């Protein structure tokens, strides 16, 4: 069982060890001599040993008291260091914040936010994991990350969510495709197009299936995991693809054109997700504030398209 010892008792004992006089030690601690004596007696009772020998003029330490000097100094030093660290965490001078985000966000929108955060709080370690939605939520569930930035999907009921922005869709095609000169693409314009798809597990594919439901598009038979592969296939004239705005940096090529869809009915919402029962640290709360400030300012994340 831990003894019930206060910092006041430790400080009083060390003052007595230095002054070797009750009256002077009491004055240093801003206590009356009688109150100071009570503090020392309570400390001895908590330690379970007599620490000082008293006479009318001098104070000497017992052998136990001599040993306890080092203990008292160590305890006060550790306590001071602990509160200094706590102050650093509260003031965002130290700490850690971990984010999980869709690859498109991790590559395109978040680097500038993280750089700004690191400049403001250089002592805080920032971790970023780029993963698909399910894996982002899995890391959040395990406590590996503080925040997740994902698209809507199943298994969100256990989390606190709110919409950060919306991510409209674009048609990406070769410069010589029949639709390449249009300013906007109506859903009906997609009739007969050979679509190159991402894997069904991706949030992009799920939204594309919703967009093209009931439209006579053709499945090119090409279904891949990575956007860079989609860009390469389109560049060879093997089809077109529907992708959200946040992914357009993957399609910067002289041979490719990106055209917005003429519909606001279906966009891909981007959600901020956090654990309902796990409060954010001060460092993580600062990151959340910056993400919302920088990425929600216009309701959409605007980025250069194909340039």
């Amino acid at each position: 069982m831990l003894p019930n010892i206060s910092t006041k008792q430790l400080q009083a004992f060390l003052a007595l060890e230095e002054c070797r006089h009750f009256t002077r030690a009491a004055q240093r601690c801003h206590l009356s001599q009688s109150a100071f004596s009570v503090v020392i007696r309570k400390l001895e009772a908590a330690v379970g040993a007599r620490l000082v020998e008293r006479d009318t003029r001098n104070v000497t330490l017992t052998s136990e008291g001599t040993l306890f000097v080092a203990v008292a100094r160590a305890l006060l030093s550790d306590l001071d260091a602990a509160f200094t660290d706590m102050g650093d965490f509260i003031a965002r001078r130290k700490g850690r914040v971990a984010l999980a985000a869709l690859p498109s966000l991790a590559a395109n929108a978040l680097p500038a936010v993280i750089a700004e955060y690191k400049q403001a709080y250089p002592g805080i370690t920032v971790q970023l994991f780029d993963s698909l939605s399910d894996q982002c939520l899995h890391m959040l569930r395990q406590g590996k990350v503080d925040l997740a930035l994902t698209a809507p999907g199943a298994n969100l009921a256990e989390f606190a969510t709110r919409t950060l922005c919306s991510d409209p869709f674009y048609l990406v095609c070769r410069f010589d495709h029949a639709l390449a000169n249009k300013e906007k693409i109506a859903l009906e314009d997609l009739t007969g197009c050979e679509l190159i798809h991402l894997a069904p597990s991706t949030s992009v594919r799920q939204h594309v299936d919703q967009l093209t439901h009931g439209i006579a598009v053709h499945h090119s038979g090409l279904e891949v995991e990575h956007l860079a592969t989609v860009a390469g296939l389109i560049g060879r004239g093997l089809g077109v693809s529907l992708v959200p705005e946040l992914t357009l940096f993957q399609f910067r090529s002289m041979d490719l054109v990106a055209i917005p869809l003429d519909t606001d009915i279906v966009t891909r919402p981007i959600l901020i997700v956090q654990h309902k029962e796990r409060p954010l640290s001060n460092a993580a709360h600062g990151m959340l504030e910056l993400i919302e400030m920088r990425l929600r300012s216009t309701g959409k994340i605007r980025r250069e398209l194909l340039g």
Side-chain angles (χ1 to χ4, degrees):
M1 182 175 178
L2 292 174
N4 184 14
I5 295 175
S6 69
T7 56
K8 180 180 179 181
Q9 291 169 337
L10 295 173
Q11 289 165 344
F13 173 73
L14 291 178
L16 187 58
E17 187 269 335
E18 291 179 16
C19 295
R20 299 299 174 108
H21 194 280
F22 266 83
T23 301
R24 289 194 294 272
Q27 289 172 345
R28 179 181 292 189
C29 295
H30 307 290
L31 293 171
S32 68
Q33 185 171 334
S34 59
F36 185 84
S37 295
V38 170
V39 170
I40 296 300
R41 283 199 298 271
K42 286 184 177 180
L43 175 62
E44 290 177 322
V47 173
R50 192 173 182 84
L51 302 177
V52 296
E53 295 289 354
R54 307 158 175 86
D55 61 30
T56 55
R57 294 184 178 182
N58 299 311
V59 172
T60 58
L61 299 183
T62 64
S63 57
E64 291 83 1
T66 301
L67 290 173
F68 193 71
V69 170
V71 173
R73 287 173 177 163
L75 288 172
L76 287 175
S77 177
D78 289 347
L79 192 61
D80 181 67
F83 273 91
T84 298
D85 279 347
M86 180 61 71
D88 286 339
F89 279 104
I90 292 171
R92 298 177 188 162
R93 290 187 291 267
K94 289 183 179 179
R96 167 192 170 275
V97 57
L99 306 172
L102 296 173
S104 54
L105 277 163
N108 196 27
L110 283 178
V113 175
I114 292 172
E116 183 176 353
Y117 184 89
K118 288 291 291 180
Q119 185 174 12
Y121 309 111
I124 293 179
T125 299
V126 179
Q127 292 180 293
L128 176 62
F129 301 91
D130 54 343
S131 300
L132 298 182
S133 291
D134 287 347
Q135 184 61 24
C136 288
L137 297 180
H138 179 65
M139 286 188 282
L140 185 61
R141 189 179 293 111
Q142 288 188 318
K144 188 174 182 179
V145 299
D146 302 291
L147 298 165
L149 277 67
T150 76
N155 305 317
L156 281 171
E158 65 184 288
F159 300 107
T161 66
R162 55 190 179 278
T163 301
L164 175 65
C165 60
S166 59
D167 198 11
F169 277 80
Y170 284 68
L171 172 75
V172 178
C173 61
R174 262 175 60 111
F175 71 95
D176 54 357
H177 191 273
L179 300 177
N181 292 323
K182 284 184 168 287
E183 292 186 3
K184 286 193 174 182
I185 300 293
L187 291 175
E188 293 76 15
D189 294 336
L190 300 174
T191 300
C193 284
E194 296 278 339
L195 282 188
I196 298 169
H197 281 299
L198 286 170
S201 60
T202 63
S203 62
V204 173
R205 173 63 180 277
Q206 292 159 14
H207 281 82
V208 167
D209 287 346
Q210 183 181 354
L211 271 170
T212 57
H213 180 71
I215 298 173
V217 295
H218 297 156
H219 190 328
S220 66
L222 298 169
E223 187 174 284
V224 297
E225 295 281 347
H226 302 290
L227 289 165
T229 308
V230 175
L233 294 170
I234 296 172
R236 288 295 180 176
L238 296 172
V240 302
S241 195
L242 297 175
V243 298
E245 183 179 71
L246 277 171
T247 69
L248 291 180
F249 71 97
Q250 294 273 14
F251 299 92
R252 291 194 178 104
S253 166
M254 295 294 292
D255 293 333
L256 303 183
V257 177
I259 311 163
L261 292 189
D262 189 15
T263 177
D264 292 324
I265 298 173
V266 179
T267 61
R268 184 178 68 154
I270 300 298
L271 305 179
I272 299 176
V273 187
Q274 63 188 91
H275 203 284
K276 285 182 178 178
E277 306 300 329
R278 193 180 299 130
L280 294 178
S281 67
N282 207 36
H285 195 270
M287 177 64 79
L288 174 61
E289 289 178 338
L290 188 59
I291 288 171
E292 291 189 313
M293 184 187 306
R294 294 291 176 255
L295 304 188
R296 185 181 270 172
S297 58
T298 62
K300 293 181 180 180
I301 302 174
R302 293 298 180 187
R303 291 287 177 262
E304 291 183 5
L305 305 183
L306 299 180

